[in-house]
Amino acid sequence: MKKQFIFTMALMLLTSVAFSQQNSKLLPSEALVLMYNAVDLHPENQRIQNTKPFQSRVMTEGLFGDELFYLGETYFWNFMPKEAAAAYANFLEEDSPRGRASWQRYLQIQFRAFEKHELVEEKIKEYRAKYKPIPEDRNGMIGQVWNVAERYRKMGNHAKVVELVNAEVATLDYNGAYSSFQLPGIFFQSYQEAGKIQEAIKLINEAIAGLKKTVEARKSKTPDKDFHYVVHSAPVRSMDTIMTEKLSYEQMTAKFEELIKSLSRKK
């Protein structure tokens, strides 16, 4: 009887601990790791199915700095635009990686959730004045330029599309594997409709040549010891910002090579 009592008490204790761990509060950064892992493990599910179960456990009070930014990320992942925008708004004045990522997310929310299309178009210029391209921030404004340009494409205003894309590409150098180099190829039809196919081809060719030189220089300086970061599934990678994408030297070089291949297919 005594052994049975001890066993029952031990089982109750283990159950209590497991329940406590399952329902304990998580820092936003901890919750994001669990969300990433759930998406990686269950790509067949809709994103919200993988991530929503963790949102109720996220700490929301007394946060500051990176954890407040990551709180915005948990909201962003879970389609909670008002809450996400409020978190990101804390960092819009910062000249920092956190500031860059907050601007990118904030404008995405304004365009997609609140349909403030004209506001976002103006804010792209403000972003460029505040933040110059840096290699660590591969995506920069591509999402917002794509949003605005696609809107004009659907309206049949191809000249405006070309103007927007050209303005974005003009801000770039070849020191980074910037996703925006793909925009002339993505909107090639608009260049065609505007009678500026050769302009698009020229931009693509110049990007390929410049990026190839960068790759050659990088390969000659590859460090002997290079730590490789975990590679997440495509759904997680598609959500990366400068605050979440971690790449080793060789992994970054691989991003240049992937971009060159992508551009070469678009000519």
Side-chain angles (χ1 to χ4, degrees):
M1 185 72 176
K2 186 175 181 181
K3 287 183 179 180
Q4 178 65 33
F5 175 77
I6 293 173
F7 174 79
T8 302
M9 290 298 294
L11 182 61
M12 289 174 63
L13 179 60
L14 287 171
T15 303
S16 176
V17 169
F19 180 82
S20 175
Q21 289 177 341
Q22 185 177 6
N23 292 275
S24 61
K25 287 294 184 181
L26 296 165
L27 285 169
S29 58
E30 295 172 328
L32 273 179
V33 170
L34 294 174
M35 290 178 189
Y36 292 173
N37 187 55
V39 174
D40 286 341
L41 291 176
H42 303 286
E44 72 282 359
N45 291 344
Q46 292 185 351
R47 188 176 89 199
I48 198 74
Q49 291 178 279
N50 290 322
T51 60
K52 199 67 174 179
F54 300 104
Q55 189 63 48
S56 62
R57 296 174 58 193
V58 177
M59 294 171 57
T60 59
E61 302 294 331
L63 301 170
F64 59 90
D66 285 356
E67 288 299 339
L68 183 54
F69 170 83
Y70 291 130
L71 175 64
E73 288 288 277
T74 68
Y75 289 141
F76 190 85
W77 271 76
N78 284 293
F79 304 101
M80 301 169 69
K82 287 185 179 179
E83 295 84 351
Y88 294 133
N90 290 280
F91 308 110
L92 298 180
E93 299 302 317
E94 283 192 3
D95 185 3
S96 66
R98 194 166 58 201
R100 287 171 179 268
S102 293
W103 265 82
Q104 293 157 15
R105 295 296 205 216
Y106 188 83
L107 293 187
Q108 181 73 3
I109 291 167
Q110 298 306 313
F111 192 95
R112 291 291 182 183
F114 304 141
E115 298 186 353
K116 295 183 178 180
H117 304 142
E118 292 78 11
L119 172 68
V120 171
E121 185 174 345
E122 285 302 310
K123 287 292 183 181
I124 290 173
K125 301 171 187 175
E126 191 175 335
Y127 176 94
R128 289 188 185 130
K130 188 175 182 65
Y131 304 108
K132 304 306 178 188
I134 56 174
E136 295 79 14
D137 185 15
R138 294 190 308 110
N139 292 323
M141 276 286 101
I142 185 174
Q144 302 323 309
V145 174
W146 190 94
N147 282 337
V148 176
E150 177 64 7
R151 178 169 176 261
Y152 280 112
R153 187 194 69 78
K154 289 179 178 178
M155 294 165 60
N157 192 342
H158 299 289
K160 185 65 175 179
V161 173
V162 171
E163 177 188 326
L164 288 163
V165 172
N166 285 354
E168 173 70 1
V169 175
T171 68
L172 308 176
D173 55 38
Y174 304 118
N175 296 322
Y178 301 120
S179 301
S180 287
F181 280 125
Q182 298 181 82
L183 287 169
I186 292 171
F187 291 100
F188 195 81
Q189 180 190 1
S190 287
Y191 280 87
Q192 186 176 33
E193 294 290 338
K196 297 188 175 182
I197 291 179
Q198 292 307 313
E199 192 171 326
I201 293 173
K202 181 172 181 282
L203 290 173
I204 294 170
N205 284 336
E206 287 176 347
I208 291 171
L211 293 169
K212 281 184 175 180
K213 288 181 180 178
T214 302
V215 169
E216 291 172 8
R218 286 184 65 85
K219 286 187 174 180
S220 67
K221 298 175 184 177
T222 302
D224 294 331
K225 294 182 179 179
D226 191 26
F227 178 81
H228 279 227
Y229 289 92
V230 172
V231 178
H232 287 287
S233 61
V236 176
R237 295 198 308 272
S238 68
M239 295 280 283
D240 269 334
T241 69
I242 188 174
M243 286 292 287
T244 56
E245 182 178 65
K246 306 300 179 186
L247 298 172
S248 69
Y249 189 93
E250 289 188 355
Q251 285 173 317
M252 180 64 86
T253 300
K255 292 298 180 185
F256 278 90
E257 293 174 326
E258 290 170 13
L259 179 56
I260 291 168
K261 286 182 182 178
S262 176
L263 292 172
S264 299
R265 289 194 295 268
K266 287 180 166 58
K267 287 196 297 181

